[in-house]
Each structure stands twice: as structure tokens, then as C-alpha cells.
Amino acid sequence: MFKFPEAVLRIIRQLNDAGFEAYAVGGCVRDALLDKQPNDWDLTTSALPDEIKRVFKKERVIETGIQHGTVTVLINGEGYEITTYRVDGEYTDHRRPDSVHFVSNLKDDLMRRDFTVNAMAAHPNEGVIDLFGGKDDLKNGVIRAVGNPEMRFTEDALRILRAVRFASTYDFTIDEETALAANRLAPTLENVSEERIFVELKKLLCGKGAERILLDYPEIIFTVLPELKPMYKLPQINPHHVYDVWTHTVKTVAAAPSEPVYRLTMLLHDAGKPEKKTTDEKGVDHFIGHPVVSAAIAEKTLLRLKSDRATIQTVTKLVLEHDLRVPEKRINIRRQISRIGKDLFPMLTKVIRADFYGQNPEMLTEKLRYVDSLKREYECAIEENACLTLRDLLFTGRDLLQMGAKGKTVGIVLEKLLDDVIREKVQNETEALKKRAVIHLKNLTENP
Ligand code: ATP
Ligand code: MG
């Protein structure tokens, strides 16, 4: 048996002392059995919500979902969700139960849960309560619906996406019958809200098994991401590539750091290729201008999925720049760092690297050498505290206004001065920049 946190032991003891059953349940039991730190510890109990509140009247209690039987108890600043044993009522919209019913036994509560590995409860004295073979499935790495998979997916289509998400996160396989039902009912995912799809999708993408799952479950993936379907099996016959566009995409997802921004960027980076594909007379495929189209598709897709603004902005920009090729000279690279931004550039080098891992392996060494040189130059510029933005420039708009510059010329001249510094035409010193500014202002008045 695994160790329970002090607070969980206390909650269970207090409920038991008051005459109620209480267990840790669901994801925390699964993760603890896998020796992983659970995200949170959820509890299930025979006590009704009012009874839970009475037992914890000395604690801070928040009625997070009282109509669903959930009460959150705060212990040392940490929230613990305690839910009354319940079963879900009718599902008429494949989305959420029309009602919930409280029940008196643990078995019924465990039966309503989605997968065997998520349907275990645990008690410090009784050990793990495993009624559906969850422990074995955990040991063998299998995601299996509790009960009849068709029925369970028909009740709630989100479970279809949760199945592939858990299989990806834990690098598990999906039991055959469960997988069959998931594929067959994939179209019903249309009834699930975009927000919930996005939550599951991000977890799926960041999982250890993402590559395998994205390749093995196209029916499910393209139901939630119809924008990406044209990439599926689309050939790209050219020296850089050995995989079709979707297989390449999936490999780059797996090669990127396991964080949503990177994984989403790779997922979307070539989405514009189908629209931009041309084949020349030698039979070689080209995708000229695809990053612009990919960026537009990325933005549209993330907006549809109700992504937060910051993620949309970062992903769209990284997608737009993913094909950056720059001469490996200090000045050229620094101009690109300045244009793309100090924060985004190091992220872009990770995107470029992941992209190379999905291309022709024969060229990989040479391409990695290129991206390493970008990274080294970036680190060198940061280390030197190099002037890369207008904020770093030791000359300001106010200095220019004092010299008599007006309106738009102020911005134009500042950009020129920054570029002069990056190109090492002038030192980043106020006096030197002032002399240079005089020349630019003169040029601008002569040739506006
Ligand atoms: P995570 O590690 O992502 O938190 P989790 O398994 O804890 O995974 P939650 O969404 O927190 O997932 O749900 C907690 C528990 O509630 C699950 O372990 C499962 O028993 C049950 N559950 C959650 N969503 C569903 C669902 N759609 N259908 C049936 N049971 C569900
Ligand atoms: Mg959880």
C-alpha cells in the first residue's frame, strides 16, 4: 500500500468516527499505485453533503458542487474534494447527466467511473478496493472501460477523448473492445464543448505515447481537429522528407519539449501545407509560403478551441517563423533575434530542432549543427547583454524629439539606430548615436 497524505488520513478518520464510510478515489489512487505524485486527492463518502459539512464544521468548507454532492474542505490551505457516493442519471445529450442520484454503497459509485484504472478506492485499513481489475490493467498498461464500452461512451462522449488521453499520458494501450467502441462513436465527440476538448487535447499531446496515439486513432483525432485532416497521408516527395505530412507532424510533436505551447506549435506548424502544395516537372513537391497559411489555421483552430490569448499569440508566431533560415553569421542571427524577440527566439530554436527530427534522417546532423549555432549565438548575445531591442538602446524617442524630430520619423530613426548597433556600424553610446541620428534625420528630410 502507498502512503496517504496526513490531511487525507485525517479526513477519512473524521468521517469514519462520525459513522460514515470514506475512501480516497479515482485519479489519486491510480497515480499513487504508479508511484506518481497525484495532482489532487479526491474522496468519496457515504455521508450526504449536509452531513459532510457537519463533520467538518471546524474546517473551512466550500460548496463547490453541492448539487452534485461535492464539498471542498480546506486543510492547511489545500483543498480536498469530498463527494457523496452517487450515480449519474440519464444522459440525453452525450454530455452531462440530467441529474445525479446519491446512493448508499461504494460499488455503485465506482461503477459510474470511466476506466478500470480510475475506478479504484483506497482506505488506510482496508487497502485498495478494486472491483473491476484496475490493478491488473494498471500493471499491464491497459485503458479499459468499466462495463460496456459502447454504453459508457454513449453516455458521455468526452470519455472517448479521455481514453486516448490516458493512453498517451501513461503510454498505455487501449483494450480492443474499448478502442473499437471509441472509434465507432468518435463522431459523437461533436457534442462535447470545445473547452473540455482542449483540456484533454493538451494532455494527450504532452503524453509519452503522443506519437503512437496520434497515428493510431485518426478517426478520433480528426473529429476534434477537422482543420488538420487534409494533412493525413498527404505525400511530400522532396529530399528533405521521408514521411507524409501528418506522420512528419506527429514525429515533430513527439520531438518537442513536453509543454502545451511547443506541442501545439508542432501539431499546427505544417497545417498550411495541403493548401500550398505544388509539384514541379521533376515530380518534386514544394510548399512555398505554407507558414503563413499554417499560422492562420493555427489561430483559427486555437480560437475555436477557446484557447487563452497568450497561447494563441505564441503558437501563431512560432508557426509563422518555424521555417527560419538565416546565414550563420553573428550579425544576421542578431537581427533575427531582434525581429523575433528575446523571449520567443529561444523557443523558436526548440521548434526548429523538433521540426528537423521529423525530416530526412540523412540530413539531421547537418541541420542540428545549424540550429545549435542559432542557439549558441543567442546565448552569447544574452551573456554579452547585447543591444537587441529599442529598450536596450542608449538613445530614446525623447532625445530625438529634443533634436527636433517629429511624428513618425521618431520611430523610423530609432529602428534605424537599433539596426546600426546590431550591425556594428555604431557603438551603443549616447553621443555616437546622436551623431548617427543627425545623419538619418538629414537623409529622411532629403528623401522622405
Ligand atoms: P487527472 O490526473 O487528469 O486529474 P483524473 O482521473 O483524476 O485525472 P479527473 O477529471 O480529475 O481525472 O476525475 C477524477 C475521477 O472522476 C476520475 O479518476 C474518474 O474516476 C472520474 N471521472 C472523471 N471524468 C469522468 C467521466 N467523464 N466519466 C466517468 N468518470 C469520470
Ligand atoms: Mg484529478
Side-chain angles (χ1 to χ4, degrees), residues 25-28 30-31 38-42 162 165 203:
V25 71
C28 61
R30 176 198 69 221
D31 289 345
N39 295 331
D40 38 39
W41 287 80
D42 297 329
R162 280 172 63 88
R165 183 264 273 199
K203 290 183 179 174

Side-chain angles (χ1 to χ4, degrees), residues 199-212:
V199 170
E200 298 299 328
L201 180 65
K202 283 186 282 187
K203 290 183 179 174
L204 187 166
L205 290 174
C206 290
K208 290 197 286 285
E211 178 173 343
R212 180 175 48 87

Side-chain angles (χ1 to χ4, degrees), residues 276-306:
K276 284 290 173 180
K277 180 172 169 171
T278 55
T279 306
D280 67 21
E281 61 283 0
K282 293 196 187 102
V284 177
D285 294 331
H286 301 275
F287 303 93
I288 298 157
H290 78 275
V292 178
V293 180
S294 299
I297 295 174
E299 185 178 27
K300 207 174 118 220
T301 305
L302 292 171
L303 278 170
R304 172 178 64 75
L305 291 168
K306 309 272 171 19

Side-chain angles (χ1 to χ4, degrees), residues 7-59:
V8 175
L9 289 175
R10 206 174 108 196
I11 293 169
I12 293 176
R13 194 176 337 110
Q14 266 176 256
L15 283 161
N16 288 166
D17 287 350
F20 301 107
E21 295 175 13
Y23 299 87
V25 71
C28 61
V29 178
R30 176 198 69 221
D31 289 345
L33 286 172
L34 285 172
D35 263 331
K36 279 191 200 326
Q37 181 70 36
N39 295 331
D40 38 39
W41 287 80
D42 297 329
L43 293 113
T44 186
T45 179
S46 58
L48 293 168
D50 281 338
E51 295 172 324
I52 303 173
K53 284 200 305 198
R54 231 172 293 142
V55 171
F56 296 100
K57 60 177 179 289
K58 291 196 184 127
E59 253 60 61

Side-chain angles (χ1 to χ4, degrees), residues 128-327:
V128 176
I129 317 289
D130 174 20
L131 307 177
F132 310 104
K135 259 190 190 168
D136 279 343
D137 283 340
L138 210 51
K139 196 168 70 213
N140 300 323
V142 179
I143 299 298
R144 185 194 313 272
V146 172
N148 178 308
E150 295 251 345
M151 272 168 60
R152 303 314 308 283
F153 291 143
T154 304
E155 284 168 1
D156 178 6
L158 182 71
R159 291 173 187 156
I160 296 166
L161 200 53
R162 280 172 63 88
V164 285
R165 183 264 273 199
F166 285 117
S168 173
T169 305
Y170 298 107
D171 209 4
F172 281 9
T173 59
I174 303 178
D175 155 71
E176 200 181 318
E177 223 186 299
T178 301
L180 225 65
N183 280 328
R184 206 180 71 71
L185 292 166
T188 61
L189 272 164
E190 301 209 331
N191 301 304
V192 178
S193 78
E194 309 283 7
E195 289 90 339
R196 297 180 82 188
I197 286 178
F198 194 45
V199 170
E200 298 299 328
L201 180 65
K202 283 186 282 187
K203 290 183 179 174
L204 187 166
L205 290 174
C206 290
K208 290 197 286 285
E211 178 173 343
R212 180 175 48 87
I213 295 299
L214 290 171
L215 289 175
D216 287 355
Y217 294 94
E219 295 90 338
I220 298 171
I221 300 304
F222 296 126
T223 303
V224 296
L225 291 165
E227 296 89 347
L228 305 191
K229 188 142 188 219
M231 287 198 275
Y232 190 57
K233 292 189 175 164
L234 183 74
Q236 39 181 356
I237 311 298
N238 83 37
H240 290 284
H241 287 285
V242 290
Y243 305 112
D244 65 76
V245 177
W246 178 244
T247 307
H248 158 74
T249 295
V250 167
K251 290 193 177 283
T252 68
V253 168
S258 174
E259 292 167 39
V261 251
Y262 292 110
R263 297 270 165 126
L264 286 166
T265 300
M266 300 327 295
L267 182 77
L268 296 158
H269 81 286
D270 276 350
K273 273 190 172 177
E275 199 180 311
K276 284 290 173 180
K277 180 172 169 171
T278 55
T279 306
D280 67 21
E281 61 283 0
K282 293 196 187 102
V284 177
D285 294 331
H286 301 275
F287 303 93
I288 298 157
H290 78 275
V292 178
V293 180
S294 299
I297 295 174
E299 185 178 27
K300 207 174 118 220
T301 305
L302 292 171
L303 278 170
R304 172 178 64 75
L305 291 168
K306 309 272 171 19
S307 166
D308 58 286
R309 263 271 129 214
T311 302
I312 297 177
Q313 270 176 7
T314 307
V315 170
T316 306
K317 197 129 187 245
L318 289 171
V319 168
L320 186 65
E321 301 291 347
H322 81 266
D323 249 354
L324 179 77
R325 298 295 177 266
V326 45

Side-chain angles (χ1 to χ4, degrees), residues 378-435:
Y378 174 81
E379 285 163 357
C380 178
I382 296 300
E383 170 112 7
E384 276 178 22
N385 218 345
C387 173
L388 295 167
T389 66
L390 291 180
R391 294 231 318 264
D392 304 328
L393 207 59
L394 294 179
F395 198 77
T396 66
R398 195 180 304 162
D399 295 328
L400 274 170
L401 290 169
Q402 275 174 9
M403 291 170 68
K406 282 195 207 68
K408 271 199 291 193
T409 42
V410 175
I412 296 170
V413 172
L414 282 177
E415 288 293 348
K416 283 184 184 291
L417 292 174
L418 175 62
D419 198 46
D420 290 338
V421 173
I422 294 169
R423 287 189 302 144
E424 300 170 6
K425 294 247 183 269
V426 61
Q427 296 272 333
N428 187 18
E429 291 163 4
T430 309
E431 276 314 305
L433 286 165
K434 188 168 180 181
K435 281 190 196 137

